Amino acid sequence: MKTLFIRVIAIIFVILPVFSSAAEINQKPFVIPELKQWADKDGLFRITETSQIIVPKGNSDLRHVAKLFAEDYKIMFGKELTISEGKANKGDFTFKTASNKELGKEGYQIKISDLVEITAPQPIGVFWATRTLLQMSEQSKERELPKGEIKDWPDYELRGFMIDCGRKFIPLQYLRDYVKIMAYYKMNTFQIHLNDNGFKQYFENDWNKTYSAFRLESETFPGLAAQDGYYTKSEFIDLQKLAEEYFVEIIPEIDVPAHSLAFSQYKPEIGSTEYGMDHLDLFNPETYKFIDDLFKEYLEGENPVFRGKRVHVGTDEYSNKKKDVIEKFRYFTDYCIRLVEGYGKQACVWGALTHANGETPVKSENVLMLAWHNPYAQPDSMIEQGYDLVSIPDGLLYIVPNAGYYYDYLNHNKIYDEWTPAQIGNKVFSDNEPKIKGGMFAVWNDHVGNGISTKDIHHRVFPAIQTLSTKMWTGKSTTLPFDVFDLKRQNLSEAPGINILGKIGTEATLVYEQAEVKKGDKMKYKEIGYNYTVSFELDGANEKKGTILFSTDETQFYLSDPIKGMLGFARDGYLNTFNYRVKDGEKVLITVCGDNKGTRLYINGKLHDNLSIKTQWYSEGKDKMYYIQTLVFPLKRAGDYNSKIRNLKVYNYCKE
């Protein structure tokens, strides 16, 4: 009898989940970040021919949100949604604000029935709700939405990403795209690291030859902005205005007094001869005058260049060899904090005050510290001193592309399963610790000249945005196993109208073909990203150096490269060539396969050249750098060439 009882109980436990699943009318929608609460109902909401967005009369903030939603809906789905202040009908979306302490500043509620009703305490919550609706809609072929009720709010108020533009110029359009991508995943803080320098050992151990850059136009110091790429003041202002429209805060960072070679190369007398010219001389009054004038240029006036409420002043990784230097560094840190506060901004700093432990007081009230490495700033000690913290532990959340240290790609599984901003290195705090304001992850482009492209950076950043947005919004409340999350997230767009990854289609197949490609032709697709195969039949002719076969505005694939006349490609200022030259009268089948590790050339079906990661040695063999030769293949337009190109085929997988 006991055995029979156990078997019956076992059967009941097997069957119960089936009954439970059957009783669940509409399953919880998959969105990123995961929804906090979902109450299901029967049926589906469907768009109609007359669907509108209804906003309260005279509410300009909600009309702005409605305009963004309508624009994005049309971009993604081709459907025009008009905006009205009238009565809501079946198939409409309604936006309104109403106080609700449970939801906080950024939370929202969506009721999906025959119409969709969004309610939030503030317009930002309504905007986040529209991101949820867009993600839900893009997973339905007919743009249907499951009926039910959503309540959603973030665990942390600051959810961010930092990009190093100092050591690698990130074109403005990428930054603008990142604003929209971050907003699509409800990340609200974008820190832009505006200056930095390479490592001296890769530049003949000579500070004068070491690469450095400051990326912002300066009229106070003409010529300070890097000639290989910088943002004008008006461009940077427009970037911030765009971010404001999408409820993303941009934190500009000018990093001093270390990582400051761009400033000492411009004005050598403020560099430190004792600790390295990437350190500013903190004992020289000219240093403080330079800093005053530099920050003043971007902070003064009624309409300053730095528009937001926060400015980051750097202050990390300075020498701590001598006590007088430590005390001077602490004085300098306090000086910079009070400098930006004098212009009405909140100061942000990198955590360094355990590394620079001393007696000189440094202001902590209303100062935001990025806690990145506990030996530099023990987070419990910094909280005791009064700092607000952002959790950005380097050992978990630093990407340094292709460097061989830190992460090349983040460990998303570990982050998803184990991390929230309450964990900073080996310190774990309460999830409701009020002094931890949120989290960030960072991309550092340490190795100047390593061949990494902006496409490569994005290949690392985008999945990290998806994972980190979940952990900073939903926190410990995630319910999906990582494997399920990882599979489902691949079905979501980067953001409305944005496809930096160059994805074409979802099934591994032939995605494009053209019988003949004539010079000047424009193709259906701009480009195809990793992993891909592009093949074509070539009837070779004499080509002058610099002859382009295919290109986008950023990338060129050459029939004859500008230097050697070889088959090759250029992007991000790097020229990579295959060991193959187009010959007059030769008929060949050319195939190019590319992934995030390199680019391979096949001639008549046989591997001819493999442009893979190669090791470059410096400092008489003591230091190495990995050089990468990747290509997101350009397809936007054909160049001006003499050869004949037939039977172009594009596959969205490596057909090798």
Side-chain angles (χ1 to χ4, degrees), residues 126 136 173 192 225 256 411 457 604:
V126 178
M136 290 169 63
Q173 187 57 51
I192 299 178
V256 289
N411 186 337
I457 292 170
N604 293 327

Side-chain angles (χ1 to χ4, degrees), residues 162-443:
M162 190 230 76
I163 190 164
D164 171 11
C165 300
R167 284 174 284 209
K168 176 171 177 58
F169 180 61
I170 307 297
L172 188 72
Q173 187 57 51
Y174 278 84
L175 300 182
R176 294 177 68 89
D177 286 346
Y178 284 149
V179 165
K180 295 179 181 180
I181 293 167
M182 291 175 67
Y184 198 55
Y185 292 96
K186 302 186 181 78
M187 294 185 73
N188 62 5
T189 307
F190 189 14
Q191 182 169 320
I192 299 178
H193 187 79
L194 287 166
N195 68 284
D196 218 312
N197 47 267
F199 299 149
K200 185 176 67 169
Q201 61 265 34
Y202 297 115
F203 297 90
E204 301 176 30
N205 282 298
D206 186 340
W207 286 119
N208 291 321
K209 295 179 180 179
T210 300
Y211 181 88
S212 71
F214 177 65
R215 299 299 185 190
L216 198 52
E217 173 190 16
S218 175
E219 295 169 285
T220 304
F221 300 105
L224 177 61
Q227 293 306 299
D228 67 338
Y230 69 91
Y231 317 115
T232 67
K233 291 180 181 179
S234 62
E235 286 173 339
F236 201 72
I237 289 170
D238 287 345
L239 173 65
Q240 293 167 89
K241 287 180 178 179
L242 175 72
E244 290 162 13
E245 289 185 20
Y246 282 82
F247 298 90
V248 173
E249 177 192 357
I250 286 181
I251 300 179
E253 179 190 354
I254 297 177
D255 198 357
V256 289
H259 303 278
S260 298
L261 185 62
F263 305 138
S264 64
Q265 284 181 340
Y266 182 84
K267 194 176 177 68
E269 61 267 31
I270 65 174
S272 173
T273 55
E274 184 172 1
Y275 302 111
M277 291 295 284
D278 61 336
H279 286 47
L280 299 182
D281 183 352
L282 303 183
F283 295 89
N284 185 349
E286 286 298 312
T287 298
Y288 296 84
K289 185 178 185 307
F290 178 85
I291 295 301
D292 286 347
D293 291 342
L294 185 66
F295 278 93
K296 177 183 178 182
E297 181 171 4
Y298 307 115
L299 288 170
E300 74 170 347
E302 293 183 4
N303 298 297
V305 176
F306 292 167
R307 293 172 52 88
K309 62 183 178 182
R310 297 185 178 111
V311 173
H312 202 297
V313 297
T315 68
D316 72 321
E317 296 191 293
Y318 201 88
S319 173
N320 68 343
K321 288 182 179 179
K322 297 179 181 178
K323 181 172 174 52
D324 65 333
V325 172
I326 289 172
E327 299 300 336
K328 203 65 174 176
F329 172 80
R330 293 176 65 88
Y331 170 81
F332 181 87
T333 301
D334 184 76
Y335 183 93
C336 289
I337 289 169
R338 296 180 187 277
L339 174 63
V340 300
E341 286 183 343
Y343 291 98
K345 307 293 186 181
Q346 182 184 20
C348 306
V349 298
W350 291 105
L353 297 182
T354 299
H355 181 255
N357 189 29
E359 299 167 3
T360 304
V362 181
K363 187 177 184 296
S364 62
E365 183 183 357
N366 195 37
V367 175
L368 190 65
M369 177 181 285
L370 276 63
W372 68 282
H373 188 64
N374 291 6
Y376 267 82
Q378 290 293 343
D380 46 357
S381 174
M382 297 302 106
I383 287 174
E384 288 176 11
Q385 292 180 39
Y387 291 97
D388 292 331
L389 300 186
V390 174
S391 176
I392 183 171
D394 62 336
L396 193 64
L397 302 183
Y398 272 20
I399 297 171
V400 185
N402 207 43
Y405 57 88
Y406 281 128
Y407 280 104
D408 191 23
Y409 289 79
L410 293 183
N411 186 337
H412 299 109
N413 195 331
K414 182 179 178 65
I415 294 167
Y416 186 86
D417 287 342
E418 300 177 15
W419 183 80
T420 73
Q423 180 180 338
I424 306 175
N426 61 358
K427 302 287 185 180
V428 181
F429 298 87
S430 165
D431 283 311
N432 56 5
E433 168 55 57
K435 298 297 283 183
I436 298 178
K437 300 303 179 183
M440 278 193 189
F441 75 100
V443 167

